[in-house]
């Protein structure tokens, strides 16, 4: 069976088949991949425990699918095109053959450093080709990678390393991001003070910033490569993996204070990332595809590395930021490499829009054929700007809704095949069964309705567990509504049956497309010595989508609120990372609480949104007086 549908009629027919005979459908999809041994059983599942197993008995290695199987036909085709942060530095191209060689080499480096199948490896690197190489090298030998985004603090890295009990860290001396140069190895050194499980650190040279190298623990990437070169260790047989062996862990925020380690497995994730990449983007051989995400997030895992490479695509990787050296950078890259497919985030579009049209007008964007967005709802204004100024009205826009826990696209238009509408993710991909449920968990049938978005049947790319704590996985996703996976998102199904994601219904914020738990930010704020308690909510932000608004009880600001604000922001940066910094901090004498001590977030959310006239029922509050004070002090 073809991974791609080729008409709307075919979509409808395949969709119907995928619901009526899901196992037969997924068998047909999985046959497009290279298996060392075919699976015996397509699916075993229940959402109670949950227990989900796809393609049991199947044996594979995802890197054989991403590399080996392309060598004969695509050996000289670019697998990765890398554009550096500084436009005057040379770009790099790695063909499939070159990428294969480098992955094998680095896999041998890992083996030389005592890495075994099943070991957890933390990767903390900027967007350089070696990041993709490190990921694939782990997968080659069956080590489990846990990539941590470069914007997280030492404390956050330490939490993740400890949770997964990582034995080795791969990092860089530093990272270039716009005009800044960030000392990554320093951050790792701080993190490792509390991480005794880490025995080795492999450090790639990028910025040549001075770093401390601990004897016996820290080694240079380049030196280790030289060793395998002198050993003439140029190939590395792929480790044969069970379909349900772990491939990677990726931490993501939920409504509790501690991020969860989402676990993906080899067979199902491979099939799902490859299938969705091919189908959603209707990828054609030879097309140049540019996803602007960072590999530190799920979008980069699935749609810079595994999805595109499994399909023999050319994946463009950009080290820098959209506004450096100026707000025309994306368009220069599109012109330079004749990009055909561009996949970016609404926050990036809104940010570039705010610099005015002069940066995009006159750029050669004629190579563009298909556009995509991901990460958060897109507002109509940004959608039209993207459509007109970037796509010149000729490119379908796929608004892809999905989550870290899903592994790949769930509800999305198929480029050029299904209809599109600004702000709508439109229809589920074949194989995906979304349902809307009401507060009581009853399924809402029909069109022109809204509810909480659930999925009622498994798909190969779904989360299997949260690392080290299966009960947490059940609680977070499978306990709210029996026999359903709950997404945490609210959703509308319009009169025509098209889906529009309306945003989170839990205490999770989406700031510039980054998922941040309010409880996590509160915990960080509360660590500041003069803070008694705090409540964090989101508010609409023109560029970030949502901003972070913190209500803070701090009796000892010493008459200098501004300094205390800065100290609180610094505390959050230290504990979580710069991405979680509050945009607004309002000092209050108390928080609106019910008699049972629960903070009424609904009221704070309204105040943060600037809507103070209609706060609803406040009669159950312990002290309704605080509301007046908070209203009058709103920022
Ligand atoms: C891929 C990714 C997931 C959350 C999800 C939504 C929001 C993602 C869209 C979207 C509206 C979209 N994974 N979200 N895509 N909302 N339209 N097209 O972002 O795990 O980091 O975040 O992001 O709320 O639950 S994620």
């Amino acid at each position: 069976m073809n991974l791609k549908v080729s008409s709307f009629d075919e979509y409808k027919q395949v969709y119907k088949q995928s619901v009526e005979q899901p196992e037969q459908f997924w068998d047909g999809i999985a046959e497009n991949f290279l298996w060392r041994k075919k699976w015996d059983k397509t699916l075993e599942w229940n959402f109670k425990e949950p227990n989900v197993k796809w393609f049991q008995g199947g044996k594979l290695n995802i890197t054989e699918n991403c590399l080996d199987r392309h060598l004969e036909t695509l050996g000289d085709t670019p697998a990765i095109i890398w554009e550096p942060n500084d436009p005057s530095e040379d770009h790099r191209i790695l063909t499939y053959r070159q990428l294969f060689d480098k992955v094998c080499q680095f896999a041998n480096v890992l083996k030389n450093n005592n890495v075994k199948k099943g070991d957890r490896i933390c990767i903390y690197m900027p967007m350089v080709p070696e990041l993709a190489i490190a990921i694939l090298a782990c997968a080659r030998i069956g080590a489990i990678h846990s990539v941590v985004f470069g914007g997280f603090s030492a404390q956050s890295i330490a939490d993740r390393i400890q949770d997964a009990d990582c034995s080795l860290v791969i990092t860089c001396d530093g990272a270039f991001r716009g005009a800044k140069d960030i000392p990554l190895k320093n951050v790792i050194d701080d993190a490792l003070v509390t991480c005794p499980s880490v025995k080795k650190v492999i450090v790639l040279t990028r910025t040549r910033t001075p770093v401390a190298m601990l004897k016996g623990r820290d080694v240079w990437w380049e030196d280790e490569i030289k060793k395998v070169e002198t050993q003439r260790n140029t190939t590395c047989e792929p480790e044969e993996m069970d379909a349900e062996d772990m491939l990677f862990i990726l931490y993501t925020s939920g409504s509790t204070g501690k991020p969860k380690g989402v676990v993906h497995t080899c067979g199902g994730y491979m099939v799902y990332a490859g299938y969705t990449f091919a189908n959603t983007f209707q990828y054609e051989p030879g097309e140049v595809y540019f996803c602007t995400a960072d590999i530190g997030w799920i979008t980069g895992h699935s749609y810079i590395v595994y999805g595109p490479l499994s399909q023999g695509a050319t994946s463009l990787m950009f080290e820098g930021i959209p506004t450096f050296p100026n707000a025309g950078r994306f368009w220069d890259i599109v012109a330079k490499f004749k990009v055909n497919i561009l996949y970016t985030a609404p926050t990036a579009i809104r940010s570039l829009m705010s610099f005015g049209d002069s940066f995009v007008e006159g750029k050669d964007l004629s190579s563009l054929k298909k556009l995509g967005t991901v990460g958060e709802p897109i507002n109509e204004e940004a959608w039209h700007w993207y459509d007109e100024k970037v796509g010149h009205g000729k490119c379908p826009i796929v608004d892809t809704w999905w989550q870290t826990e899903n592994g790949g696209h769930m509800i999305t238009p198929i480029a050029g095949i299904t209809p599109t509408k600004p702000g709508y993710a439109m229809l589920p991909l074949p194989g995906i069964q979304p349902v809307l449920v009401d507060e009581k968990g009853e399924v809402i049938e029909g069109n022109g309705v809204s509810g909480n978005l659930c999925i009622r049947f498994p798909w190969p790319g779904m989360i299997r567990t949260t690392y080290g704590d299966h009960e947490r996985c059940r609680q977070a996703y499978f306990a709210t509504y029996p026999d359903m996976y709950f997404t945490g998102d609210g959703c509308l199904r319009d009169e025509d049956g098209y889906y529009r994601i309306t945003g989170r219904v839990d205490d999770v914020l989406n700031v510039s497309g980054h998922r941040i738990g309010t409880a996590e930010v509160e915990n960080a704020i509360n660590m500041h010595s003069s803070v008694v308690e705090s409540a964090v909510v989101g508010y609409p932000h023109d560029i970030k989508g949502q901003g972070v608004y913190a209500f803070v009880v701090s009796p000892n600001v010493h008459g200098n609120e501004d300094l205390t604000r800065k100290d609180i922001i610094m505390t959050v940066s230290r504990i979580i990372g710069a991405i979680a910094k509050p945009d607004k901090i309002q000092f209050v004498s108390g928080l609106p609480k019910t008699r049972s001590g629960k903070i009424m977030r609904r009221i704070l959310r309204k105040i943060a949104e600037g809507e103070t006239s209609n706060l609803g029922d406040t009669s159950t509050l312990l002290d309704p007086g605080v509301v007046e004070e908070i209203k009058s002090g709103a920022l």
Side-chain angles (χ1 to χ4, degrees):
M1 196 178 124
N2 208 320
L3 295 181
K4 302 195 273 179
V5 297
S6 55
S7 68
F8 193 30
D9 279 340
E10 191 192 342
Y11 162 80
K12 287 184 230 174
Q13 177 233 315
V14 172
Y15 185 80
K16 191 162 171 282
Q17 186 229 326
S18 78
V19 173
E20 286 166 359
Q21 296 183 303
E23 298 185 26
Q24 194 184 318
F25 169 78
W26 287 113
D27 277 343
I29 296 294
E31 275 157 15
N32 288 277
F33 295 80
L34 180 65
W35 298 81
R36 292 213 149 190
K37 175 181 168 290
K38 202 186 153 163
W39 55 97
D40 310 311
K41 191 174 181 195
T42 306
L43 172 64
E44 173 185 310
W45 72 287
N46 75 69
F47 278 176
K48 284 221 156 45
E49 299 174 55
N51 170 39
V52 175
K53 293 195 172 91
W54 282 94
F55 312 119
Q56 273 185 91
K59 303 266 188 202
L60 75 146
N61 187 291
I62 195 169
T63 69
E64 253 187 310
N65 280 267
C66 291
L67 300 168
D68 308 55
R69 72 159 166 164
H70 304 313
L71 293 181
E72 209 170 299
T73 48
L74 301 171
D76 297 326
T77 300
I80 292 178
I81 300 176
W82 177 74
E83 169 70 6
N85 179 62
D86 177 348
S88 68
E89 189 182 336
D90 287 342
H91 68 269
R92 288 169 62 187
I93 292 178
L94 292 176
T95 64
Y96 271 94
R97 161 63 63 185
Q98 291 165 330
L99 181 61
F100 170 79
D101 288 342
K102 288 196 178 293
V103 169
C104 288
Q105 253 187 350
F106 194 67
N108 287 325
V109 166
L110 292 175
K111 283 184 177 171
N112 279 346
N113 282 278
N114 207 22
V115 178
K116 304 267 180 317
K117 176 176 176 178
D119 289 354
R120 275 81 54 219
I121 308 297
C122 173
I123 304 180
Y124 186 68
M125 290 174 88
M127 286 283 287
V128 291
E130 286 76 9
L131 167 53
I133 291 165
I135 286 174
L136 293 165
C138 287
R140 186 98 181 152
I141 64 171
I144 298 160
H145 54 78
S146 166
V147 181
V148 177
F149 173 62
F152 281 114
S153 68
Q155 181 65 55
S156 290
I157 300 165
D159 291 345
R160 286 158 176 75
I161 288 176
Q162 288 164 11
D163 187 77
D165 204 21
C166 295
S167 57
L168 187 144
V169 175
I170 308 170
T171 190
C172 266
D173 51 355
F176 293 125
R177 262 181 74 82
K180 287 192 221 142
D181 128 15
I182 301 150
L184 294 191
K185 174 61 165 57
N186 265 345
V187 180
I188 288 293
D189 288 337
D190 288 345
L192 293 191
V193 171
T194 57
C195 299
S197 63
V198 174
K199 304 296 180 227
K200 273 272 151 70
V201 181
I202 302 180
V203 186
L204 176 80
T205 311
R206 175 66 186 125
T207 59
R208 304 200 162 266
T209 187
V211 294
M213 294 292 283
L214 278 196
K215 192 180 290 171
R217 189 194 72 179
D218 302 349
V219 295
W220 290 107
W221 174 298
E222 294 80 0
D223 291 347
E224 296 302 296
I225 292 287
K226 278 203 197 99
K227 282 185 208 160
V228 297
E229 277 172 350
T230 51
Q231 292 162 352
R232 301 192 188 284
N233 241 347
T234 46
T235 59
C236 173
E237 278 308 301
E239 186 76 35
E240 190 169 279
M241 305 295 283
D242 282 329
E244 283 297 335
D245 279 342
M246 241 180 248
L247 174 63
F248 67 84
I249 307 168
L250 187 58
Y251 286 84
T252 193
S253 297
S255 39
T256 56
K258 203 178 142 226
K260 300 182 279 266
V262 173
V263 169
H264 285 288
T265 57
C266 295
Y269 175 81
M270 167 184 76
V271 168
Y272 201 66
Y275 158 66
T276 52
F277 172 77
N279 204 10
T280 301
F281 297 117
Q282 293 284 297
Y283 185 80
E284 300 280 348
E287 285 181 333
V288 177
Y289 160 85
F290 176 19
C291 168
T292 71
D294 191 291
I295 290 177
W297 307 108
I298 190 68
T299 303
H301 282 60
S302 299
Y303 298 113
I304 296 178
V305 183
Y306 289 118
L309 298 181
S310 76
Q311 299 308 300
T314 296
S315 183
L316 197 159
M317 187 176 168
F318 173 43
E319 183 184 34
I321 57 171
T323 50
F324 181 81
N326 61 54
R329 188 67 191 278
F330 277 1
W331 324 127
D332 292 337
I333 296 174
V334 168
K336 180 171 173 186
F337 298 106
K338 306 215 172 341
V339 170
N340 304 117
I341 308 172
L342 177 67
Y343 189 32
T344 193
T347 187
I349 298 169
R350 287 191 299 266
S351 156
L352 296 178
M353 248 172 88
S354 76
F355 287 86
D357 296 348
S358 66
F359 289 99
V360 64
E361 278 167 357
K363 295 285 162 81
D364 180 8
L365 304 179
S366 58
S367 57
L368 286 175
K369 292 196 275 191
K370 293 161 254 187
L371 301 174
T373 66
V374 58
E376 44 172 333
I378 185 164
N379 50 309
E380 287 218 14
E381 197 194 354
W383 196 95
H384 286 296
W385 189 86
Y386 198 34
D387 180 37
E388 286 157 28
K389 301 291 170 189
V390 181
H392 296 162
K394 292 183 298 205
C395 302
I397 299 176
V398 293
D399 176 346
T400 63
W401 173 82
W402 60 295
Q403 310 173 295
T404 305
E405 296 86 345
N406 306 152
H409 303 151
M410 299 287 282
I411 304 180
T412 176
I414 296 176
I417 305 276
T418 47
T420 62
K421 246 161 69 147
Y424 279 74
M426 302 305 285
L427 295 170
L429 285 176
I432 301 305
Q433 300 187 33
V435 284
L436 302 185
V437 301
D438 63 20
E439 243 73 289
K440 283 175 262 145
E442 304 285 347
V443 171
I444 308 168
E445 308 280 357
N447 290 338
V449 293
S450 307
N452 287 347
L453 179 60
C454 293
I455 315 290
R456 70 166 152 211
F457 195 85
W459 64 100
M462 73 182 293
I463 181 174
R464 297 300 193 272
T465 189
T466 44
Y467 191 83
D469 190 351
H470 194 63
E471 170 59 13
R472 195 153 172 228
C473 174
R474 193 189 66 79
Q475 269 294 334
Y477 307 106
F478 300 93
T480 318
Y481 305 109
D483 297 317
M484 285 193 253
Y485 166 85
F486 177 43
T487 64
D489 279 313
C491 182
L492 164 95
R493 186 166 53 222
D494 76 1
E495 294 298 341
D496 302 315
Y498 297 133
Y499 290 84
R500 178 194 175 96
I501 313 301
T502 46
R504 301 289 302 198
V505 295
D506 53 10
D507 293 320
V508 173
L509 305 182
N510 196 323
V511 180
S512 301
H514 302 329
R515 243 169 96 167
I516 297 170
T518 53
E520 246 178 288
V521 184
E522 287 165 6
N523 287 347
I525 292 173
N526 296 349
M527 286 190 192
H528 187 274
S529 58
S530 53
V531 171
V532 174
E533 62 175 337
S534 63
V536 167
V537 297
Y539 71 96
H541 187 287
D542 282 348
I543 289 175
K544 298 180 177 189
Q546 272 187 309
V548 179
Y549 195 125
F551 297 89
V552 175
V553 180
S554 172
N556 295 314
V557 290
H558 300 298
N560 194 338
E561 290 200 347
D562 255 355
L563 196 57
T564 308
R565 264 196 199 96
K566 284 181 187 150
D567 290 348
I568 290 172
I569 288 170
M570 184 58 80
T571 311
V572 173
S573 281
R574 283 269 173 209
I575 302 297
I576 305 177
I579 57 167
K581 283 197 282 198
D583 297 279
K584 293 182 178 180
I585 296 175
Q586 181 184 347
F587 292 108
V588 296
S589 63
L591 296 169
K593 288 188 181 170
T594 62
R595 284 186 191 87
S596 60
K598 260 192 80 156
I599 297 170
M600 280 184 90
R601 290 167 177 283
R602 172 177 58 84
I603 292 174
L604 295 176
R605 243 177 257 131
K606 285 223 164 135
I607 294 173
E609 282 164 15
E611 208 202 291
T612 48
S613 53
N614 178 24
L615 291 182
D617 184 15
T618 56
S619 63
T620 56
L621 285 178
L622 192 60
D623 173 14
V626 295
V627 175
E628 281 313 309
E629 179 219 298
I630 297 174
K631 261 162 62 174
S632 63
L635 302 168

